[in-house]
Structures are given as structure tokens and as C-alpha cells.
Amino acid sequence: MTTPSAGPPDPTPTDLMVMISDERRRAADLIDALTSEQLGVPSLCGAWTVRQVAAHLVAPFAARRRWFLPLLLRSRFNLHDANARLAGMVARRPTDEISALLRENAETPFRAPRVGFFGQLTDLQVHGQDIRRPLGLPHDLRPDRLRTSLDFLVHRRAIGSFVRRGHTDGLRFEATDLGWASGEGRVVRGAAEAVMLALTGRSIVLAELSGDGVPILRDRLAR
């Protein structure tokens, strides 16, 4: 895959932590503003509710170390399944406790294995949309952060964790509002937020995309 279109210099770890800290605080504000009915709405993230997505965002700070080995064993060392189980456990906590933990840990430099700070920033942005879109809330995402996440999502570090293997093969993704593009082949174009969600497997955005690569992407997302 070709490198993304030239843009601003790559953010430093310090830059990334500033972005992550702000996104955590914004996520906490969003969670606090939701009603109990909204928290129970299905999100865009698999079978999770909005509440479970919120719990996932705070799970690295809410989980106790003694939980991890039993969770991994029950999940047969499948990290995605273990994460889902962990989110379910944290989701039992009161909502104000979940948002408070996000604020308290806004500047905690948590680095997920392999994906690091780039993965943490992208996780916050994608899951923010998993919450906002089903509730009809505007995304209000920052263009520089969207670009950073798009650059990460087309990097090999994202494959297998954020992006399904083979998902982007033979496709060129273009974010028309950022002047960003990456890849070679049939074109998938749209607003940066929709492209980010398409890269991470959210089929809801297909109607917002154009280009001769959209039918191919639709088939892949249906598998």
C-alpha cells in the first residue's frame, strides 16, 4: 500500500498524549450527558451497548490485575473476547464512576501492546462514533486527530487489531475533507470520519462513500 498523502509532520509522543488526554475528557463529558435509555442503545461495536463501549474506554484503568489471567483463560487467550468480557464487568459500575475514571486517568500514559499511543487515540475516536452515531449526535472530531488515526489505520501495526486482514487490499481510500489518501486500486472516498469507520469495519457508513471500490468493500464487510 502506498504511503498516505503528505501532511503535517507525525505527532510526537507528547503531542499524542495531549490529544489522548483531551479525547478522554471529551468522552467523559459525553458519557455524563447520556440518559439511562441512551446508555442501553446498541452501539456500532458488535453486540455492545453504548454503556459497554463506555466501559471499554475506561477498562485499562478500572480492571484489577488479578482479573486478567482468569479472563484470558475463559477466553482461550483470545484478546478480543477477553476485552469484551472485561468491558461487561466494568459496565456494571455506575455511569458517573466510569466517567470519573476517564477524567482521573486522562493523562495516564497507557500504551497498548503494539499499537501504542496511536492505537489509544484511534480507539477513543472510533468508539466515540460507536456511541454518537446510533444516538444521532454530531461527531465534532478534530481534523488533525482524524488524520493521525487514518495514517495509523493504513499502517501494518493496525492490521489484526483495528483493521481486518485483507480488508484494504487493492483499494485506495480518500478522505475528501482532509486531502488525505492511501493505497492503490479501486477508490473508496468520503469524509474522513466515514473513511475511518469504514477502515475499522463499520458498514453503516457505506451509503456515505463513493467510488468503484465501494462494492468490493461492501462484500468484505458482509463476510
Side-chain angles (χ1 to χ4, degrees):
M1 181 168 281
T2 59
T3 56
S5 304
D10 289 341
T12 65
T14 300
D15 294 333
L16 285 167
M17 267 312 307
V18 170
M19 296 178 189
I20 290 166
S21 297
D22 184 56
E23 289 296 333
R24 286 175 182 159
R25 293 185 180 102
R26 292 191 337 132
D29 290 343
L30 170 62
I31 293 163
D32 278 342
L34 300 180
T35 65
S36 57
E37 290 78 13
Q38 288 174 314
L39 288 163
V41 169
S43 76
L44 299 187
C45 189
W48 285 1
T49 63
V50 165
R51 177 184 290 278
Q52 288 170 312
V53 173
H56 166 74
L57 293 177
V58 79
F61 318 118
R64 296 180 174 87
R65 288 193 177 186
R66 67 175 183 271
W67 294 358
F68 289 111
L69 183 56
L71 279 172
L72 283 171
L73 290 172
R74 285 200 295 271
S75 304
R76 298 183 179 181
F77 292 93
N78 182 310
L79 290 177
H80 289 289
D81 186 44
N83 276 330
R85 290 173 184 268
L86 180 57
M89 293 170 67
V90 177
R92 298 173 194 148
R93 297 191 177 195
T95 308
D96 57 354
E97 187 176 324
I98 291 172
S99 59
L101 278 167
L102 269 175
R103 288 194 185 89
E104 290 166 11
N105 291 279
E107 298 183 22
T108 300
F110 171 72
R111 288 177 185 259
R114 187 181 182 191
V115 298
F117 286 157
F118 287 97
Q120 182 69 191
L121 176 64
T122 303
D123 203 52
L124 285 158
Q125 293 191 97
V126 171
H127 285 314
Q129 293 312 100
D130 287 339
I131 291 172
R132 288 177 177 276
R133 272 185 169 255
L135 299 176
L137 301 174
H139 66 72
D140 192 31
L141 292 169
R142 307 295 196 256
D144 59 329
R145 298 173 195 177
L146 269 171
R147 178 182 283 274
T148 297
S149 286
L150 289 173
D151 287 345
F152 164 71
L153 288 169
V154 296
H155 191 278
R156 62 180 177 275
R157 283 182 297 174
I159 303 299
S161 53
F162 284 82
V163 180
R164 189 188 307 167
R165 296 185 187 281
H167 184 64
T168 60
D169 291 354
L171 296 176
R172 176 178 173 82
F173 290 85
E174 299 177 356
T176 54
D177 51 342
L178 291 185
W180 177 95
S182 180
E184 296 178 350
R186 296 184 182 273
V187 173
V188 175
R189 68 169 62 90
E193 182 257 357
V195 172
M196 178 181 72
L197 294 181
L199 284 166
T200 53
R202 275 66 175 171
S203 60
I204 194 171
V205 299
L206 286 170
E208 302 169 31
L209 303 171
S210 62
D212 56 358
V214 174
I216 296 171
L217 182 62
R218 179 178 290 110
D219 288 345
R220 290 176 182 175
L221 290 176
R223 292 173 193 167

